Amino acid sequence: QKEVEQDPGPLSVPEGAIVSLNCTYSNSAFQYFMWYRQYSRKGPELLMYTYSSGNKEDGRFTAQVDKSSKYISLFIRDSQPSDSATYLCAKGGPYNQGGKLIFGQGTELSVKP
Amino acid sequence: DAGVTQSPTHLIKTRGQQVTLRCSPKSGHDTVSWYQQALGQGPQFIFQYYEEEERQRGNFPDRFSGHQFPNYSSELNVNALLLGDSALYLCASRQGRDSPLHFGNGTRLTVT
């Protein structure tokens, strides 16, 4: 079993839809969680990061972490064609694990006009 | 404010050769990590450099080595290239050891 599981999709939605992207993880010894967006032929771009359970909102994006069920979600409201990309969830270790992030496989999202 | 920059953007090498990839971190960042991303997969951690020393290493063979210079820039070296080393190699940087990573656009390596 992978440490971070993510449905690879592809996921196709109409413009304006609410998108829900999800990940599960298996190791509790991780303290923070991130969502990255990756356009084709580009590097991952940081969207959201959070250290605690609960919701964190930034514009049209909401990150949700449930540590009790080891579940991470990203919600995109009023989705736009420019949101079409691959979305990667990642978890990071405590302080002494530095820059090691464990990534999911990525979910490919397509938003149709 | 320049972000993380990597060179070259593309590279084609033959099996058995050696390759060096370069990275300049985002301004103000002192910690550099390297990741390998195979097609259709998430990035996998190779190693991290801080204060010119390798601080943490992922599950990669010794053929993969690196270096960090006093100006915080970094190199990734891969020896005895295998076909399976074909991937996008990503450099990421951060300030200190507990802030989010910022990635460059990567070097796409093709081994023939």
Side-chain angles (χ1 to χ4, degrees), chain A residues 13-49:
Chain A
V13 301
E15 183 176 354
I18 296 175
V19 176
S20 172
L21 304 168
N22 306 295
C23 290
T24 58
Y25 64 96
S26 60
N27 186 337
S28 295
F30 285 83
Q31 303 298 317
Y32 57 94
F33 304 89
M34 277 144 289
W35 283 96
Y36 286 85
R37 176 175 63 193
Q38 187 173 23
Y39 292 113
S40 180
R41 300 183 182 278
K42 297 289 188 181
E45 171 194 8
L46 180 66
L47 280 178
M48 306 276 288
Y49 71 96

Side-chain angles (χ1 to χ4, degrees), chain B residues 14-27:
Chain B
T14 302
R15 190 172 47 185
Q17 286 187 316
Q18 177 264 345
V19 68
T20 297
L21 310 181
R22 295 178 175 81
C23 171
S24 292
K26 184 178 170 70
S27 178

Side-chain angles (χ1 to χ4, degrees), chain B residues 2-75:
Chain B
V4 179
T5 57
Q6 294 186 242
S7 65
T9 55
H10 296 86
L11 205 51
I12 300 175
K13 288 288 189 178
T14 302
R15 190 172 47 185
Q17 286 187 316
Q18 177 264 345
V19 68
T20 297
L21 310 181
R22 295 178 175 81
C23 171
S24 292
K26 184 178 170 70
S27 178
H29 288 188
D30 58 5
T31 302
V32 173
S33 300
W34 287 91
Y35 286 77
Q36 181 195 66
Q37 186 176 25
L39 197 62
Q41 301 296 315
Q44 282 198 302
F45 176 74
I46 302 176
F47 42 52
Q48 176 185 257
Y49 277 82
Y50 174 69
E51 293 184 336
E52 302 179 48
E53 289 189 18
E54 183 183 298
R55 299 291 179 168
Q56 196 176 6
R57 189 178 182 92
N59 189 26
F60 279 81
D62 291 344
R63 298 186 297 109
F64 290 77
S65 63
H67 190 78
Q68 185 180 33
F69 299 94
N71 66 352
Y72 308 120
S73 67
S74 178
E75 289 181 349

Side-chain angles (χ1 to χ4, degrees), chain A residues 2 32 34 36 38 41-44 46 49 51 88 93-106, chain B residues 10 33 35 37 40-45 48 56-58 88 90 94 97-106 108:
Chain A
K2 293 181 180 179
Y32 57 94
M34 277 144 289
Y36 286 85
Q38 187 173 23
R41 300 183 182 278
K42 297 289 188 181
L46 180 66
Y49 71 96
Y51 291 85
L88 296 157
Y95 178 84
N96 60 3
Q97 291 206 11
K100 180 180 180 179
L101 298 182
I102 308 294
F103 281 88
Q105 183 178 351
Chain B
H10 296 86
S33 300
Y35 286 77
Q37 186 176 25
Q41 301 296 315
Q44 282 198 302
F45 176 74
Q48 176 185 257
Q56 196 176 6
R57 189 178 182 92
L88 181 68
L90 295 162
R94 70 193 330 170
R97 302 171 76 180
D98 210 24
S99 59
L101 283 177
H102 294 261
F103 284 84
N105 284 326
R108 184 160 298 282

